[in-house]
Structures are given as structure tokens and as C-alpha cells.
């Protein structure tokens, strides 16, 4: 990555888990009834052809990790588990009441927070409760996030028996100094133990999450972390850029000073060294921030054009309807988005009134759907196409101007009916997506909203 390109393109930008991005949702045109009609339409179209996806947010953590930007509630009181699980099942029952047929679930992802904060028995109750009014779609894939310090063999065995065959463990970095700074102290032994347990039990895809750009992180820390990771041979990896957004999450991301965080050229070097080591060790780059071995379904889907991206991240197959359960979860019907309330107390109160706990949402316009498809193609396949370039870009001529500038910088190639991102351009995929983002162009954020793209 040339230093001049880094200086030019390392600007704040969205991660594009949706389009429009959440700050640009048009909430004036949205209400819960619009969302209900939207999911009915999507369900009718996709339930028997694809199945649906569930993202279940489990927000509790016993301690605060200062790198984390997720919605969480810090507590050591495990009596909260049963109340929350029952609330999630109540929310699911409200959704099931809108469907004329039994939902067929293609994907479940348990995220957090810390899903393994919950006991294996409570997770068993949750999943069995979900399937009390649902079935499994052909080729289903269920996954969960495990904390290496508190994931037990019982967790892994019970979830495996319930149909979970994919697990990801948050590693971040093995340096003791870095771990102390981000308040995530976990020895390599703990990660090795849960990884080997999962493999023994029969999980077909084991993932590790690694972050570059963390406070106090040096080149040798990234090298050591990836070498240790290589010894455990996970099937897939997420190699994320640390998103420093203290203006959004407040003191939760202020456990260190700004001077302790690698920036610009120093951060670029961490990324390039880490990426090259992963490629050298047999991992293939999949979309943005993800790597997989050729034996993993994520690699297969990237090769056959079936890779999909939504609020759960990358998945090996597409479902049009994704329902988010739990506080702060985001749902996607393709035609609309909806996000749940973020406070537990509000979540419980709305469910007690038999109301969907929706905070806000967005109804897609025809323009949104066109742009969303282009951004999804770029994020998943590093290319996108159109039927008639002149007609498409007549409405948005400045997009083509920006793309031509990026072509001159070597980031992409423009053809008659499509563009393709080059190897040089892959680290800048967020910037290329920003060229298509008309809502961002029409109204630049007045305050800081996004992390830097590199």
C-alpha cells in the first residue's frame, strides 16, 4: 500500500453492513406497521426458497473490554439470564404470530456481549424455545461467539447437539501489554483449549478474531499472534482494524491515551504484515477483513458467487429476511430495516405491552435498493455491474468521476458494464463503496460518526 494512497484515502467511512447506513435512515417514513408488512412480504417470498436468519443479541459481560463498541451490560449477577432469555422468546413469539406458515431457519448467530456468559442450560432453553414454533431449513448453519475465558466444554457440546457447527473465539492479540490495555486478559492456553475442544466435538468451522491497531500494539505482537494462531489452525479468521470511536461509546473506549494507538503509517504496516502472514499460511482473503482456508464454506461461497454480507457479517449463503432478537438487534427484510431499543428496561417494558421493541427503522427507496446491490457486490465479490452505464450514471454523474479518479490511482478497473477492484484497491473497498453512497454525498455528517477506513 503506497503511503500516498494511505494519506489520500484514510478517511472516516462506514463499514457498510447496510445501505443506507444507520445514521442515514429515513425514520420519518417509517413506523412499526411498515416493518410488519415488510417482513410479511419478505417471509412469503423467501421462507420456503431460502429460509430465514436469526441474529440473537446476548448483551451481558462480566467485565468491560475497552476496545469493544457493541451494546452490552456489565454485570456479574447471573440471575439476569432467565429473565432475558424469556424476553427474547416472547419477542420471537410476536414475530411468529405475523407468519401464516412455520418459519424455516437457515441461520442463527448468537452475538453479544458475551453469549457464553449464559449457562449451557439457559442457551439450551433459548434454542429449544426458538424451535418450538420453527423448523430447520435445508443446509442450515448455526454459529455463536465464544469468550475463551468462560466457554466450557458443556457449552460447546450442548450447542453442537442443538445444531451449531460454527464457533468464533475473540482473540484480539496475545501480547500481555495490549491485553491489559484493552482489559481483555486471556492466555494462549485458554484459546488453545476451547479450539481443541471444538475440533474434538465436531465443529466444522472454527474462527478466531484478531484486531490490528490496538493500543501499544507493535509489529512483533501481530507476528506473534498470527504465529500462535497458525499453530491452532482455525478454519477462518477475521482480521479487523480497531475502530476507535470514543465519541460514540464514551469512557468505554478511553482506557488508554490517543498517543498509545498506532496510526496512519504505523497502523498500515501492522495490517500489511498481518495480511501477508495470513496469505503465506494458506488463508485466502474473503471480502473485507476476513480470511479462510480452502476447506471452509466461506471460501467456497466466495468462489461460487454466493458470499453474502449483513449485520451478522459475512455468511456462506443468502437469506433475504434476517430478524434480530434482543436489545439493539437490527433486522433486515431487504425492503426495510428495523433496530430494537438499546436499553434493557425499555426492551422489557415494550414486550410486557406485547409490542415489538423497535426503536427506529428505514423503508428502502428504489434508489436505495439499486445502490445497496452495488455496495453488496463490492463488499462480497470486489466487483459490480450494470445493464446500461450511461443511463445509470446519468442520474449520478459524480459517481463515475470519483471512480475514474480511483482507476487512475490503481484501485479499480472500469469496463463497459462493470468495475472490478484490483489487489491494490482491496484495502480501500470502503472508500470505493463511499463513491456510490448518495446519501453520504447529499449530507456529510456534521459530527464524527465513523472510524477511519484503514
Amino acid at each position: 500500500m503506497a503511503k500516498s494512497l494511505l494519506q489520500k484515502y484514510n478517511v472516516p467511512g462506514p463499514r457498510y453492513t447496510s445501505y443506507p447506513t444507520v445514521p442515514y435512515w429515513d425514520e420519518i417514513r417509517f413506523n412499526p406497521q411498515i416493518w410488519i408488512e415488510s417482513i410479511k412480504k419478505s417471509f412469503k417470498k423467501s421462507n420456503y426458497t431460502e429460509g430465514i436468519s436469526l441474529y440473537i443479541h446476548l448483551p451481558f459481560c462480566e467485565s468491560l473490554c475497552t476496545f469493544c463498541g457493541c451494546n452490552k451490560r456489565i454485570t456479574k449477577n447471573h440471575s439476569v439470564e432467565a429473565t432475558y432469555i424469556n424476553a427474547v422468546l416472547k419477542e420471537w413469539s410476536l414475530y411468529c404470530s405475523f407468519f401464516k406458515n412455520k418459519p424455516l431457519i437457515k441461520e442463527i448467530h448468537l452475538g453479544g456481549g458475551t453469549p457464553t456468559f449464559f449457562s449451557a442450560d439457559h442457551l439450551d432453553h433459548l434454542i429449544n424455545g426458538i424451535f418450538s414454533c420453527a423448523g430447520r431449513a435445508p443446509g442450515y448453519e448455526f454459529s455463536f461467539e465464544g469468550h475463551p475465558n468462560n466457554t466450557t466444554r458443556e457449552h460447546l457440546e450442548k450447542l453442537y447437539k442443538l445444531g451449531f457447527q460454527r464457533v468464533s473465539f475473540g482473540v484480539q492479540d496475545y501480547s500481555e501489554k495490549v491485553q491489559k490495555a484493552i482489559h481483555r486478559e486471556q492466555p494462549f492456553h485458554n484459546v488453545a483449549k476451547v479450539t481443541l475442544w471444538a475440533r474434538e466435538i465436531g465443529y466444522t468451522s472454527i474462527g478466531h478474531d484478531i484486531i490490528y491497531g490496538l493500543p501499544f500494539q507493535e509489529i512483533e505482537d501481530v507476528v506473534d499472534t498470527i504465529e500462535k494462531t497458525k499453530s491452532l489452525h482455525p478454519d477462518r479468521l477475521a482480521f479487523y482494524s480497531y475502530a476507535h470511536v470514543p465519541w460514540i461509546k464514551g469512557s468505554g473506549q478511553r482506557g488508554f491515551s490517543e498517543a498509545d494507538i498506532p496510526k496512519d503509517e504505523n497502523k498500515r504496516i501492522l495490517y500489511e504484515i498481518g495480511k501477508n502472514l495470513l496469505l503465506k499460511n494458506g488463508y485466502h482473503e474473503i471480502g473485507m477483513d476476513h480470511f479462510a482456508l480452502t476447506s471452509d464454506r466461506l471460501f467456497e461461497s466466495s468462489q461460487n458467487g454466493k458470499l453474502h454480507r449483513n449485520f451478522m457479517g459475512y455468511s456462506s449463503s443468502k437469506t433475504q429476511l434476517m430478524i434480530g432478537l434482543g436489545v439493539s438487534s437490527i433486522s433486515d427484510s431487504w425492503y426495510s430495516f428495523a433496530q430494537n431499543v438499546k436499553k434493557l428496561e425499555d426492551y422489557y417494558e415494550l414486550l410486557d405491552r406485547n409490542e415489538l421493541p423497535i426503536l427506529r427503522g428505514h423503508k428502502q427507496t428504489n434508489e436505495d435498493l439499486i445502490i445497496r446491490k452495488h455496495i453488496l457486490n463490492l463488499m462480497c465479490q470486489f466487483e459490480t455491474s450494470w445493464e446500461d452505464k450511461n443511463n445509470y450514471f446519468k442520474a449520478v454523474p459524480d459517481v463515475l468521476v470519483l471512480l475514474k479518479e480511483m482507476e487512475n490511482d490503481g484501485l479499480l478497473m472500469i469496463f463497459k458494464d462493470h468495475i472490478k477492484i484490483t489487489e491494490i484497491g482491496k484495502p480501500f473497498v470502503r472508500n470505493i463503496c463511499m463513491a456510490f453512497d448518495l446519501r453520504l454525498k447529499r449530507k456529510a455528517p456534521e459530527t464524527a460518526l465513523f472510524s477511519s477506513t484503514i
Side-chain angles (χ1 to χ4, degrees), residues 14-28 248 311 328-332 337-340 342 359-364 437 439-440 443 449-450:
R15 299 192 69 81
Y16 291 111
T17 47
S18 73
Y19 182 82
T21 55
V22 176
Y24 289 93
W25 286 3
D26 181 1
E27 296 176 33
I28 296 175
I248 294 176
F311 285 101
S328 76
S329 290
I330 297 179
S331 300
D332 177 4
F337 299 113
Q339 182 175 27
N340 281 353
K342 297 183 178 182
L359 170 68
R360 57 185 173 181
H362 174 81
K363 182 180 179 180
Q364 299 281 60
D437 190 338
R439 289 185 179 266
L440 182 64
K443 185 181 178 182
L449 291 177
F450 307 115

Side-chain angles (χ1 to χ4, degrees), residues 378 382-384 386 403-404 406-423 425 432:
L378 292 167
F382 292 122
E383 60 183 302
T384 192
W386 45 82
L403 293 179
K404 284 186 177 296
M406 291 178 175
E407 183 179 42
N408 292 336
D409 287 334
L411 306 188
L412 52 86
M413 295 181 289
I414 303 176
F415 301 94
K416 180 180 178 181
D417 61 353
H418 70 285
I419 64 170
K420 185 177 181 66
I421 299 175
T422 63
E423 286 298 319
I432 296 168

Side-chain angles (χ1 to χ4, degrees), residues 105-125:
I105 299 176
K106 180 71 171 290
E107 295 179 319
I108 295 177
H109 184 71
L110 307 181
T114 305
T116 46
F117 171 97
F118 290 77
S119 71
D121 286 340
H122 278 129
L123 294 176
D124 180 83
H125 176 57

Side-chain angles (χ1 to χ4, degrees), residues 162-364:
L162 290 166
F164 286 74
Q165 293 192 329
R166 187 164 72 81
V167 58
S168 60
F169 297 113
V171 172
Q172 326 320 341
D173 189 283
Y174 285 117
S175 161
E176 292 183 6
K177 185 175 183 179
V178 173
Q179 288 186 1
K180 185 175 181 179
I182 63 175
H183 203 217
R184 179 66 175 241
E185 298 180 56
Q186 57 187 26
F188 172 74
H189 169 77
N190 287 3
V191 181
K193 179 175 62 177
V194 294
T195 299
L196 295 176
W197 279 347
R199 190 163 287 127
E200 286 175 4
I201 290 166
Y203 283 79
T204 57
S205 181
I206 301 168
H208 287 184
D209 294 347
I210 302 171
I211 299 178
Y212 68 91
L214 290 168
F216 301 110
Q217 197 175 49
E218 303 284 352
I219 291 174
E220 54 266 31
D221 299 324
V222 171
V223 172
D224 180 65
T225 294
I226 291 178
E227 286 300 312
K228 284 185 168 70
T229 299
K230 175 187 173 184
S231 71
L232 298 178
H233 209 59
D235 302 278
R236 63 176 70 173
L237 287 160
F239 186 48
Y240 291 113
S241 166
Y242 166 59
H244 187 56
V245 287
W247 55 86
I248 294 176
K249 291 297 178 180
S251 60
Q253 289 197 347
R254 293 187 187 275
F256 35 81
S257 73
E258 296 288 327
D260 300 325
I261 303 170
K263 295 182 180 68
D264 302 327
E265 183 73 4
N266 291 333
K267 189 176 183 181
R268 178 194 68 84
I269 293 171
L270 296 178
Y271 164 76
E272 292 194 343
I273 287 176
K275 176 182 175 177
N276 289 336
L277 279 174
L278 293 175
L279 296 176
K280 180 181 176 182
N281 289 329
Y283 291 93
H284 294 260
E285 189 171 15
I286 311 295
M288 183 181 76
D289 304 330
H290 286 68
F291 297 80
L293 298 174
T294 56
S295 56
D296 193 81
R297 285 180 63 181
L298 202 64
F299 174 80
E300 179 184 342
S301 65
S302 73
Q303 297 300 295
N304 61 26
K306 293 184 178 180
L307 187 68
H308 186 57
R309 179 176 169 85
N310 55 28
F311 285 101
M312 295 190 294
Y314 284 104
S315 62
S316 56
S317 61
K318 169 185 169 291
T319 61
Q320 180 169 286
L321 178 59
M322 184 191 79
I323 293 176
L325 303 175
V327 288
S328 76
S329 290
I330 297 179
S331 300
D332 177 4
S333 71
W334 185 257
Y335 310 109
S336 298
F337 299 113
Q339 182 175 27
N340 281 353
V341 293
K342 297 183 178 182
K343 293 183 178 179
L344 273 173
E345 296 75 15
D346 296 338
Y347 180 70
Y348 293 147
E349 181 181 344
L350 287 166
L351 288 171
D352 284 343
R353 301 205 304 253
N354 293 315
E355 297 178 22
L356 289 179
I358 293 173
L359 170 68
R360 57 185 173 181
H362 174 81
K363 182 180 179 180
Q364 299 281 60

